[in-house]
Amino acid sequence: MVCSFRARTVDSELMKFLILIFSLFASLANGQVIVHAGVQISPNTNTLTFPTTGGSNTNVLTTNGSGVLSWASAGGGGGMSNPMTTTGDQIYSSDNSGTPARLGIGTTGQFLGTAGTTPAWHTFAGTTNQITISNSSGDLTLATPQNIHTGATPQFLRLGLGAAADATASLYVSQAIAAATIANGFWMQNSNAATSGNQMYSPAIHLTGFGFGTTAGTSQAIDYRWYIVPTQITVPIGTLVLDASVAGGSYTTLLNILTNGAMSLPLSSINATRTDGFVLTNLTAATSGQKQQFSPSLVFSGTADNTSSGDVSETNKFSIQNEPQTVAGTTTANLTIKKSIAGGAYSEVFGITSAGAFRINGSKIGQGIQYGDANGVLNTLQFSTVNRVAYASSANFTFGLNANSHFWYDGGSTFNLGIGKGISDAASYPLHLWGSDAATNTITTEFGIDHSTSGTPAAGYGSQILMLGQSSTTASQNMGAIAWDWVTATHASRASEMNFWGVFNASSLTKIATLALTAATTSTLTLGVAGTTLGNLALTGNTSGTVTITPSATAGTQTYTIRDQGAAANFVFSNSSGGAASCGVVTLVAGTATITTSFVKTGAIIQLTFASQPLAASVLYISAITNNTSFVITSINAAETATVNWQIVNP
């Protein structure tokens, strides 16, 4: 609907009505209100006079303040012309009165912010080595100079953790740690779990320096690495390993420290040279005011339970230390071993000088061995021209409480060694074992040989004493041996034998005799070499006499005697308890022989046989018997010299 008015004056009541009607129709979809030029609307006392034209595009109605309306450009004159003339312009109030203002569009990458009380365009600005800004097609990209995600490999000149980086340290870590508290400052871990047969080494701390190699003529790397090598056992253990490489060569292990505290210093290619393995050094130089600068001590510490003090654990220590000193203007070195018991002061238990002298529980070092007794009294074992260790022909060396030493060595050309008494008691014996006790009718063991084995002994297991000597050309040749071995090694029924070994015609040691108990009350002597003819028992002497074989002295037993008659092939054999001969062999001289024996009785029958070829027409007979004294054998051939066997059968 179109409403058209002519220019005229309309009273206020009518005007109100018309405005109501205009508002009603203007609310319709295509409603228009047309006001003709010169129309005046005067509500109450205010009169509005509309312009007579329709104005230009983008014009707005303005007033002159007296009710006369006119067309004007937006923003100009008494109002603002249409601001939407440039894409992206912004309109804002420039004061508290609502005065509009225009903000032109910004440049690519700018963002709208404020500048005091008015809006303004701002530009994103990055920081050197921190944030980088990139604009492209209206997109804004923020980036760091290098990747810092979990899979990245960023690089930093210096880094500070917990505090600013230090100008002298590549990595500086600062932590506020409470007293008596352990806190991890730096932790490296292998994120892979171990499996059976696959142990996961820790990451290594790798240190590299460079030295100039004059042989190669170039700078060469020197590398050290610290890392952990686990070991698979019931409860796994680890080894902290320090190894090194020079000039890109293979790594060599220098130090191993186990989780139980054990430490090893593996060295290689030492050959036959003195090589430092572990060095403790005092870097302070000695001066005239302080002439001694001891080395640091190597201390071994352990604990023991003192039950007499109520089960108190006490710490006991040993220390090893070099204690240099100045003596008569020159310097010497003293290696000392000291003890500290239950936290007490250290006291020396052993010392040795750079000259080779040593002491035991001593306070000074001199010529000889110094030792302390149970009462703390210092004693000295002297090495003098009379008593010392030396190769001089007159030198002697003894250990003991007095001249009757318990151990001694005669340093003379005989090199006699004694145990148990002084040198003068056995100066001619290479080895003298001397014992002293109050025994009168008992046997004292003076020397023992004890043989042990890791195996299980069986028959033939034993010990021997070997005798050696020099032959015409060669020293230390086997001469013989005495050995004892088990015949039965079972403990409950054990039985042994004694064997004698010898050498004949440059042979090896050969068993020649065995003496053994073959039953509880029977001893057996076996002669001969196994696998050969029977052995011979030779009884040899250089004077006449008898050899008596006597069983145990039980009543009724017989004694057998072989009597030497003083001439070749002449002897008698007796089985009488009194020891007189009852049989024997004799050689005739000029057809006769007298046999002396108390066994013969008057009327005895004496049997005679030739033991060798007799002369022709030779017949033997007994020509005389003297009771309990002797008898005479006679041949009818006065020239007979044959050997005759005889045996007495008493009536």
Side-chain angles (χ1 to χ4, degrees):
M1 181 180 72
V2 176
C3 296
S4 177
F5 297 94
R6 299 289 183 183
R8 67 184 60 186
T9 299
V10 182
D11 67 14
S12 59
E13 294 301 325
L14 179 61
M15 187 61 185
K16 293 178 182 180
F17 174 76
L18 291 177
I19 291 174
L20 178 60
I21 295 301
F22 291 159
S23 299
L24 176 62
F25 286 111
S27 64
L28 299 177
N30 294 316
Q32 293 182 345
V33 177
I34 299 174
V35 180
H36 291 277
V39 173
Q40 294 179 343
I41 300 175
S42 301
N44 297 327
T45 59
N46 293 321
T47 300
L48 297 177
T49 303
F50 286 82
T52 58
T53 64
S56 301
N57 185 31
T58 72
N59 283 168
V60 296
L61 284 174
T62 62
T63 179
N64 62 358
S66 299
V68 178
L69 303 179
S70 62
W71 298 107
S73 296
M80 183 176 68
S81 62
N82 183 8
M84 305 303 180
T85 59
T86 303
T87 303
D89 280 0
Q90 303 292 326
I91 304 300
Y92 65 93
S93 175
S94 61
D95 54 33
N96 293 333
S97 301
T99 303
R102 174 179 174 273
L103 177 64
I105 190 172
T107 60
T108 301
Q110 287 186 312
F111 66 94
L112 185 62
T114 60
T117 60
T118 59
W121 294 105
H122 297 275
T123 301
F124 283 100
T127 56
T128 303
N129 296 327
Q130 294 178 0
I131 301 297
T132 301
I133 305 298
S134 299
N135 297 305
S136 176
S137 301
D139 293 330
L140 180 64
T141 301
L142 305 180
T144 58
Q146 55 186 327
N147 293 334
I148 57 174
H149 57 81
T150 57
T153 56
Q155 177 182 343
F156 302 97
L157 178 62
R158 286 185 297 274
L159 181 64
L161 301 177
D166 188 272
T168 61
S170 298
L171 175 63
Y172 178 74
V173 179
S174 177
Q175 289 179 267
I177 301 174
T181 302
I182 297 175
N184 295 321
F186 188 67
W187 192 340
M188 299 172 61
Q189 177 179 319
N190 186 339
S191 59
N192 292 326
T195 59
S196 180
N198 297 292
Q199 308 310 302
M200 299 301 168
Y201 290 13
S202 73
I205 298 177
H206 196 140
L207 307 173
T208 301
F210 292 90
F212 188 82
T214 57
T215 300
T218 60
S219 176
Q220 296 178 323
I222 301 173
D223 295 277
Y224 283 85
R225 299 184 307 187
W226 278 104
Y227 56 94
I228 296 174
V229 177
T231 300
Q232 177 176 321
I233 55 176
T234 305
V235 178
I237 62 173
T239 303
L240 181 61
V241 178
L242 173 64
D243 59 21
S245 168
V246 177
S250 299
Y251 279 89
T252 301
T253 300
L254 305 179
L255 175 64
N256 293 320
I257 303 176
L258 275 65
T259 49
N260 63 3
M263 180 175 64
S264 65
L265 301 171
L267 299 177
S268 59
S269 301
I270 294 178
N271 300 323
T273 58
R274 194 212 63 79
T275 302
D276 291 337
F278 189 71
V279 180
L280 298 174
T281 302
N282 182 346
L283 298 178
T284 302
T287 63
S288 58
Q290 181 60 56
K291 292 183 171 59
Q292 291 178 282
Q293 291 289 344
F294 290 179
S295 73
S297 295
L298 182 61
V299 177
F300 302 89
S301 179
T303 60
D305 181 23
N306 188 336
T307 57
S308 63
S309 298
D311 287 333
V312 176
S313 178
E314 296 180 345
T315 299
N316 300 327
K317 301 178 182 179
F318 274 98
S319 70
I320 302 177
Q321 187 176 36
N322 177 18
E323 300 180 357
Q325 64 180 6
T326 302
V327 178
T330 61
T331 61
T332 63
N334 301 319
L335 181 66
T336 63
I337 298 178
K338 297 182 178 181
K339 67 178 180 181
S340 170
I341 305 300
Y346 279 95
S347 60
E348 182 181 316
V349 295
F350 181 81
I352 184 170
T353 71
S354 53
F358 60 94
R359 62 179 180 251
I360 301 173
N361 289 347
S363 59
K364 66 177 182 178
I365 295 179
Q367 287 186 333
I369 302 175
Q370 295 179 326
Y371 61 94
D373 59 20
N375 298 319
V377 177
L378 185 64
N379 301 285
T380 302
L381 180 63
Q382 293 290 338
F383 297 91
S384 64
T385 56
V386 177
N387 296 299
R388 71 177 187 272
V389 176
Y391 292 104
S393 60
S394 62
N396 300 318
F397 174 59
T398 64
F399 281 104
L401 299 177
N402 46 47
N404 292 329
S405 302
H406 290 172
F407 176 85
W408 51 262
Y409 164 65
D410 175 7
S413 59
T414 56
F415 300 102
N416 293 332
L417 178 65
I419 300 176
K421 198 171 175 59
I423 299 172
S424 60
D425 293 283
S428 60
Y429 300 159
L431 175 62
H432 182 195
L433 304 179
W434 187 89
S436 177
D437 57 26
T440 57
N441 59 353
T442 58
I443 297 175
T444 301
T445 300
E446 301 288 353
F447 181 69
I449 298 176
D450 189 351
H451 180 191
S452 298
T453 177
S454 59
T456 302
Y461 171 84
S463 301
Q464 76 172 18
I465 299 175
L466 178 64
M467 311 296 178
L468 300 98
Q470 180 175 342
S471 67
S472 61
T473 60
T474 309
S476 301
Q477 298 300 295
N478 290 340
M479 299 177 70
I482 303 175
W484 292 261
D485 61 80
W486 292 125
V487 176
T488 301
T490 303
H491 182 75
S493 58
R494 62 191 183 278
S496 65
E497 63 182 13
M498 181 178 182
N499 295 293
F500 299 86
W501 302 72
V503 174
F504 179 76
N505 199 20
S507 67
S508 59
L509 285 174
T510 303
K511 185 188 295 186
I512 57 178
T514 300
L515 182 60
L517 283 171
T518 55
T521 59
T522 304
S523 60
T524 301
L525 174 62
T526 304
L527 301 177
V529 179
T532 64
T533 58
L534 294 176
N536 297 321
L537 176 60
L539 305 176
T540 304
N542 58 5
T543 60
S544 62
T546 61
V547 176
T548 302
I549 302 174
T550 305
S552 61
T554 303
T557 60
Q558 299 294 311
T559 299
Y560 300 90
T561 302
I562 301 173
R563 184 184 302 278
D564 180 8
Q565 294 295 87
N570 290 354
F571 69 91
V572 296
F573 185 80
S574 173
N575 65 350
S576 69
S577 59
S582 62
C583 60
V585 179
V586 68
T587 300
L588 301 181
V589 178
T592 186
T594 300
I595 309 301
T596 301
T597 174
S598 60
F599 185 74
V600 69
K601 307 297 182 190
T602 301
I605 299 173
I606 301 175
Q607 298 175 349
L608 303 174
T609 58
F610 282 107
S612 64
Q613 182 65 39
L615 297 175
S618 181
V619 178
L620 300 175
Y621 64 97
I622 302 298
S623 59
I625 295 177
T626 301
N627 189 49
N628 295 329
T629 302
S630 64
F631 66 93
V632 179
I633 301 174
T634 302
S635 173
I636 62 174
N637 190 337
E640 185 62 69
T641 58
T643 301
V644 178
N645 297 321
W646 59 267
Q647 183 174 3
I648 301 171
V649 180
N650 285 319

